[in-house]
Amino acid sequence: MQEKALITVIGEDRVGIIAKVATLLAEANVNILDISQTITGGLFTMIMMVDITHCNLEFEALKKSLSDLGAQLNLKIEIQHENIFRAMHRI
Amino acid sequence: MFNFGEILETLKMIQEENLDIRTITLGVSLLDCVDSSIAKTCENIKQKIREKGQYLVETAKKLEIKYGIPIVNARVAVTPVSLLAGGFTETETVKIGYALEEIAQEIGVNFIGGFSALVHKGFTKGDINVLNTIPRVLAETERVCASINVATTRAGINMDGINFSARIIKETAERTRDKDGLGCAKIVVFANAPEDNPFMAGAFHGVGEADYVVNVGVSGPGVVKRVVEKIPGADLEELANEIKKTAFKITRVGELIGKEAAKMLGVKFGIVDLSLAPTPAMGDSVAEIIEAMGLEYCGAPGTTAALMMLTDAVKKGGAMASSMVGGLSGAFIPVSEDMGMVRAVEVGALNIEKLEAMTAVCSVGLDMIAIPGETPVSTIAGIIADEISIGVINGKTTAVRIIPVPGKKAGEYVEFGGLLGRTVIMDVNRFSSEKFVMRGGRIPAPIQSLRN
């Protein structure tokens, strides 16, 4: 079964955010299924739906490398399993 | 795909509003552990708990990472020890307490519940063994929790059981005098104790349960408070509806995590306990929800109504979210664990009598209340009897967790540390209950017991 997760990136806008996140995901063999992104009042917000079924990292390691990248770029990057959103927001 | 609003809402609930899974509790039946030798019995107990329990903390950790939601406690609840202790002496029964402590340490859980006796209708030898050894076990162990069921709607109220419990509480306080009577934070006296309650100190594994079961307790006072604050102009109907929706979401998270934990451990999923349980952290307070509804302090006139609405809305939302609802399910109002409650006591808005009235409409009861150390046993018994009566006549669970702090007086402070918090010592009514409670015997079951 396909396992999906949601990545959220929030912070100040700058050049190359999507590229850097996408590169990290490609290296971890995580496929991006959907991206939506907005900038409101200079605040960059991006949500990605990704497929982690064939990810070559443990979930914990993936989470850590995303949050490390976030620290480098001065952004908050979170990854959470899709189920929690499905449980909370879909009946 | 989920929309921005939904995703940000979830993140906010977790990161800013203290939404967490309060506890994952593994229930373990010990009925098959009894042997004629106490040493073998203790070994069997440890082995039975170890079999699944050794993976519990690790499972909680994994789920925490996967969903990014804090799982605050992993705990174990066992069959009431009084059911195992009948064939042993008191000295031997104490060893069961030690065995529970050892295994709790080994598998890394912070509490293990079930050093319990069910005496609502009468005492067995096993019950007496446990009751007599509770003060010693609680003083000599760190993680073992005890509970005593002294009444049910069907059986009535065992006043001898209440007197016994009051004496135990007093003795436990004395034995843990150097820690301000901390041992009493690990005893709960119940009416209508549920068999699937994941919350300590009152958790035990009922005889109707399977060998192993995972129960989950969710919590989210911070989330509910935020919802209440967000709609300051709303009328009570709209407010109740918003709370209901939030309770739904919180409960769904609990069910998801509970089911997944059960699957990972290879055991049955039991129930989600839909409770709002506070912590001493700022903003994680039931009192603050009540205050956000428009009361100057928790305890002001209107508090019982506000709490009733809150408890009911939480249950309605939760019942829709999960079919497996159980435990206590309501709003916890422990004093020392809830900063808002402590503040309300400090300013004089809240006293024991008002708290008692509030427990008529919510779960649990008089919880984590510190009283003067010199309070007589009969007064403690009277307080317990009052609270237990509310549960019995209303066909619901109520409980008392009260701490007579040795050597301290009303108005002084006591610090229990960690999740147990700190509080000011509350005054108790100084008039005597002695003659009434010392009559002993059993208050007959109310007429509601004849239901069929």
Side-chain angles (χ1 to χ4, degrees), chain B residues 120-182:
Chain B
H120 37 274
K121 209 161 177 183
F123 302 90
T124 63
K125 178 158 179 282
D127 292 327
I128 302 276
N129 281 346
V130 166
L131 292 173
N132 277 333
T133 52
I134 282 176
R136 193 172 152 198
V137 167
L138 294 189
E140 292 173 13
T141 62
E142 264 177 40
R143 309 180 191 216
V144 177
C145 292
S147 59
I148 310 164
N149 193 55
V150 293
T152 64
T153 299
R154 290 257 163 162
I157 301 172
N158 183 351
M159 190 56 87
D160 297 324
I162 289 181
N163 287 329
F164 211 146
S165 305
R167 278 205 305 280
I168 288 169
I169 288 170
K170 197 79 174 181
E171 193 190 328
T172 305
E174 275 307 323
R175 278 182 186 256
T176 50
R177 172 177 267 273
D178 57 330
K179 287 180 245 163
D180 284 331
L182 180 68

Side-chain angles (χ1 to χ4, degrees), chain B residues 75-106:
Chain B
R75 292 165 171 179
V76 170
V78 299
T79 307
V81 169
S82 70
L83 300 176
L84 320 175
F88 298 120
T89 64
E90 282 176 21
T91 325
E92 287 170 328
T93 305
V94 172
K95 290 188 179 151
I96 301 181
Y98 297 153
L100 293 176
E101 174 78 10
E102 278 167 38
I103 189 69
Q105 281 196 23
E106 183 189 316

